[in-house]
Amino acid sequence: MSFDIDIMFRYGPLLLSGLWTTVHVCALASLLAVAAGLGVSVLYGLPMRPVKLLCRAYIEVMRGTPILTLLFILYYGGPSFGLTLDAELVGIIGLGLYGGGYFAEIFRAGFESIPAGQLEAARMLGIPRRLVVARIQIPQMLTLIIPPSTNQVIILVKESALLSIITVAELTKNTTQMVNETFAVVEPYVAVALLYWLLIEGIALTGGALERRFGYAS
Amino acid sequence: MEHKPVVLVEGLHKRFGAAHVLRGIDLAVESSRVVCVIGPSGSGKSTLLRCMAFLDRYDEGRVFIEGRLLGYREVDGRRVPDSDRNIDSVRSVIGMVFQHYNLWPHKTALGNVTEALRVVKRLSRREAEAIGMETLAKVGMEEKANAYPARLSGGQQQRNAIARALAMRPHVMYFDEPTSALDPELVGEVLEVMQELAGEGMTMVVVTHEMGFAAHVADEVVFMDEGEVIERGSPDDVFKRPRSERLREFLDTWRARTI
């Protein structure tokens, strides 16, 4: 069997449009995941037991169920409780909430790695609790969590391939379409692997750059 | 006006679970006086200082800062925990220096000093930085203003931490074993700054293992052991004429170590 470079060019636009969907769905899902994770980790730190339990429950459910199950519940189960969402939106919400569970744990570990003495010093100076979080804890935590967060975003991008199952026209879905139309297998999957790899390398490089930018004298 | 000590501690008790670590401490710190608290490890001296700042809550007794009760309110004769806001307000005249400096590593030396000036006193950046530089100069750190803590020696970090507390214009400074984490050759520069402060009339409470400092700078030395004040008096009384066996033993151990 010969490697047909020609169909790669013919299907280029389809693959690139899939790539674009993957990129923007993952970008929005990552934002949601980071926001949810940060929110949950801050709430987790409050001295309120019920809030803590709710946060814990969220984290455990997100980590304890496959992402595909969550996507099916949202997409196929949604309508039965009056929630009819566009597949792409389900993808963003599903991946975002799912990733949020992991980000919450990353952030929590980040918060806990800041020595208590630093917070006592802030307390003695009369800095209000919320400003201690915003100005002392979060900036330091962000530096600490850049490497694991980069990792988490990479995982999220790979998991986004599952969105093809709920009909989102992202990279994997469009590749499958290409396979179905051309009966070629090797070319489409080599092409898609290359595109995912480029995307993920891009994320890894960005993560590395952020690490250098925000790493303070250590 | 009625005379009030800057810090007044009455019948202070503190328990950590079953451990009774403070057993009825009384202490009065008058304005411009330097009180050094000495004693063996585990004697409760750091806990006392932390309770005097309400970083640890005390169980019985009272701490007054310039006449105001710290940490609790009394409602119909019953004691209830005070709001964070009130605690902050009473505490605002205390500056605290910790054994491990506790600088914020993501801020420069100057940033550490200006932070509270900006967010608590709400000064403009320019005003805060002017006060910050002036305070850093006072501890001999103006040339390191833009350095991050990781680039500073222990002695510099501790002087930075002193500047951070001083910038808020406290009426009393607490030092919790400020030189215990330092390499021996760096102890002097920190003690010098503290001695200078004392000379300027700063009211100070110093928990320390530096007997030399206590002997030369303190107005009153308090010796604690097992959660109690065993002896107190002038440095001469405490170091030259110890009355209790425990203090004599403590001083002997210390002397044996320093030779």
Side-chain angles (χ1 to χ4, degrees), chain B residues 4-8 63-70 90:
Chain B
K4 287 188 177 115
V6 183
V7 183
L8 181 63
V63 174
F64 293 98
I65 307 295
E66 297 189 330
R68 298 166 73 193
L69 184 61
L70 173 65
V90 176

mmCIF file of all heavy atoms in Angstrom, chain B residues 4-8 63-70 90:
data_model
loop_
_atom_site.group_PDB
_atom_site.id
_atom_site.type_symbol
_atom_site.label_atom_id
_atom_site.label_comp_id
_atom_site.label_asym_id
_atom_site.label_seq_id
_atom_site.Cartn_x
_atom_site.Cartn_y
_atom_site.Cartn_z
ATOM 1 N N LYS B 4 -1.538 53.256 81.567
ATOM 2 C CA LYS B 4 -1.719 51.856 81.167
ATOM 3 C C LYS B 4 -0.439 51.337 80.530
ATOM 4 O O LYS B 4 0.150 51.999 79.698
ATOM 5 C CB LYS B 4 -2.844 51.740 80.147
ATOM 6 C CG LYS B 4 -4.218 51.923 80.751
ATOM 7 C CD LYS B 4 -5.299 51.598 79.746
ATOM 8 C CE LYS B 4 -6.680 51.712 80.358
ATOM 9 N NZ LYS B 4 -7.466 52.791 79.741
ATOM 10 N N PRO B 5 -0.029 50.118 80.911
ATOM 11 C CA PRO B 5 1.124 49.530 80.215
ATOM 12 C C PRO B 5 0.748 49.286 78.752
ATOM 13 O O PRO B 5 -0.438 49.166 78.421
ATOM 14 C CB PRO B 5 1.344 48.204 80.930
ATOM 15 C CG PRO B 5 0.338 48.092 81.995
ATOM 16 C CD PRO B 5 -0.635 49.215 81.886
ATOM 17 N N VAL B 6 1.751 49.214 77.903
ATOM 18 C CA VAL B 6 1.474 48.941 76.489
ATOM 19 C C VAL B 6 0.885 47.534 76.350
ATOM 20 O O VAL B 6 -0.086 47.306 75.635
ATOM 21 C CB VAL B 6 2.767 49.058 75.644
ATOM 22 C CG1 VAL B 6 2.456 48.844 74.162
ATOM 23 C CG2 VAL B 6 3.422 50.414 75.847
ATOM 24 N N VAL B 7 1.505 46.608 77.059
ATOM 25 C CA VAL B 7 0.992 45.234 77.044
ATOM 26 C C VAL B 7 0.783 44.785 78.478
ATOM 27 O O VAL B 7 1.669 44.967 79.324
ATOM 28 C CB VAL B 7 1.985 44.250 76.367
ATOM 29 C CG1 VAL B 7 1.394 42.841 76.311
ATOM 30 C CG2 VAL B 7 2.362 44.725 74.976
ATOM 31 N N LEU B 8 -0.381 44.247 78.752
ATOM 32 C CA LEU B 8 -0.663 43.743 80.087
ATOM 33 C C LEU B 8 -1.243 42.339 79.961
ATOM 34 O O LEU B 8 -2.220 42.119 79.250
ATOM 35 C CB LEU B 8 -1.667 44.669 80.789
ATOM 36 C CG LEU B 8 -2.044 44.279 82.213
ATOM 37 C CD1 LEU B 8 -0.835 44.324 83.141
ATOM 38 C CD2 LEU B 8 -3.141 45.200 82.737
ATOM 39 N N VAL B 63 -5.302 39.420 77.864
ATOM 40 C CA VAL B 63 -4.199 40.202 77.298
ATOM 41 C C VAL B 63 -4.771 41.548 76.898
ATOM 42 O O VAL B 63 -5.754 41.618 76.149
ATOM 43 C CB VAL B 63 -3.594 39.503 76.060
ATOM 44 C CG1 VAL B 63 -2.552 40.409 75.400
ATOM 45 C CG2 VAL B 63 -2.965 38.170 76.442
ATOM 46 N N PHE B 64 -4.207 42.601 77.457
ATOM 47 C CA PHE B 64 -4.619 43.943 77.064
ATOM 48 C C PHE B 64 -3.499 44.601 76.273
ATOM 49 O O PHE B 64 -2.334 44.559 76.672
ATOM 50 C CB PHE B 64 -4.901 44.822 78.294
ATOM 51 C CG PHE B 64 -6.101 44.375 79.071
ATOM 52 C CD1 PHE B 64 -5.951 43.580 80.197
ATOM 53 C CD2 PHE B 64 -7.381 44.761 78.689
ATOM 54 C CE1 PHE B 64 -7.055 43.172 80.931
ATOM 55 C CE2 PHE B 64 -8.495 44.354 79.416
ATOM 56 C CZ PHE B 64 -8.329 43.553 80.540
ATOM 57 N N ILE B 65 -3.856 45.199 75.142
ATOM 58 C CA ILE B 65 -2.897 45.978 74.368
ATOM 59 C C ILE B 65 -3.338 47.432 74.467
ATOM 60 O O ILE B 65 -4.439 47.767 74.030
ATOM 61 C CB ILE B 65 -2.865 45.534 72.888
ATOM 62 C CG1 ILE B 65 -2.635 44.027 72.763
ATOM 63 C CG2 ILE B 65 -1.813 46.327 72.113
ATOM 64 C CD1 ILE B 65 -1.295 43.523 73.263
ATOM 65 N N GLU B 66 -2.533 48.252 75.063
ATOM 66 C CA GLU B 66 -2.881 49.654 75.327
ATOM 67 C C GLU B 66 -4.287 49.760 75.918
ATOM 68 O O GLU B 66 -5.096 50.593 75.512
ATOM 69 C CB GLU B 66 -2.741 50.481 74.045
ATOM 70 C CG GLU B 66 -1.290 50.488 73.557
ATOM 71 C CD GLU B 66 -1.019 51.464 72.417
ATOM 72 O OE1 GLU B 66 -1.950 51.713 71.623
ATOM 73 O OE2 GLU B 66 0.113 51.977 72.339
ATOM 74 N N GLY B 67 -4.556 48.874 76.851
ATOM 75 C CA GLY B 67 -5.825 48.946 77.566
ATOM 76 C C GLY B 67 -6.988 48.238 76.892
ATOM 77 O O GLY B 67 -8.070 48.139 77.476
ATOM 78 N N ARG B 68 -6.781 47.747 75.685
ATOM 79 C CA ARG B 68 -7.885 47.065 75.001
ATOM 80 C C ARG B 68 -7.686 45.559 75.039
ATOM 81 O O ARG B 68 -6.611 45.063 74.735
ATOM 82 C CB ARG B 68 -7.980 47.538 73.539
ATOM 83 C CG ARG B 68 -8.272 49.026 73.422
ATOM 84 C CD ARG B 68 -8.026 49.514 72.004
ATOM 85 N NE ARG B 68 -9.063 49.048 71.080
ATOM 86 C CZ ARG B 68 -8.937 49.138 69.753
ATOM 87 N NH1 ARG B 68 -7.839 49.642 69.210
ATOM 88 N NH2 ARG B 68 -9.916 48.716 68.970
ATOM 89 N N LEU B 69 -8.759 44.851 75.392
ATOM 90 C CA LEU B 69 -8.699 43.396 75.480
ATOM 91 C C LEU B 69 -8.470 42.807 74.085
ATOM 92 O O LEU B 69 -9.157 43.169 73.128
ATOM 93 C CB LEU B 69 -10.004 42.855 76.071
ATOM 94 C CG LEU B 69 -10.072 41.344 76.308
ATOM 95 C CD1 LEU B 69 -9.001 40.890 77.297
ATOM 96 C CD2 LEU B 69 -11.461 40.958 76.820
ATOM 97 N N LEU B 70 -7.525 41.892 73.985
ATOM 98 C CA LEU B 70 -7.182 41.297 72.685
ATOM 99 C C LEU B 70 -7.810 39.915 72.519
ATOM 100 O O LEU B 70 -7.633 39.043 73.370
ATOM 101 C CB LEU B 70 -5.655 41.186 72.548
ATOM 102 C CG LEU B 70 -5.124 40.444 71.316
ATOM 103 C CD1 LEU B 70 -5.474 41.175 70.028
ATOM 104 C CD2 LEU B 70 -3.610 40.240 71.403
ATOM 105 N N VAL B 90 -7.055 45.984 67.441
ATOM 106 C CA VAL B 90 -6.274 45.967 68.687
ATOM 107 C C VAL B 90 -4.816 45.599 68.384
ATOM 108 O O VAL B 90 -3.875 46.165 68.936
ATOM 109 C CB VAL B 90 -6.870 44.954 69.701
ATOM 110 C CG1 VAL B 90 -5.998 44.859 70.952
ATOM 111 C CG2 VAL B 90 -8.297 45.351 70.066
#
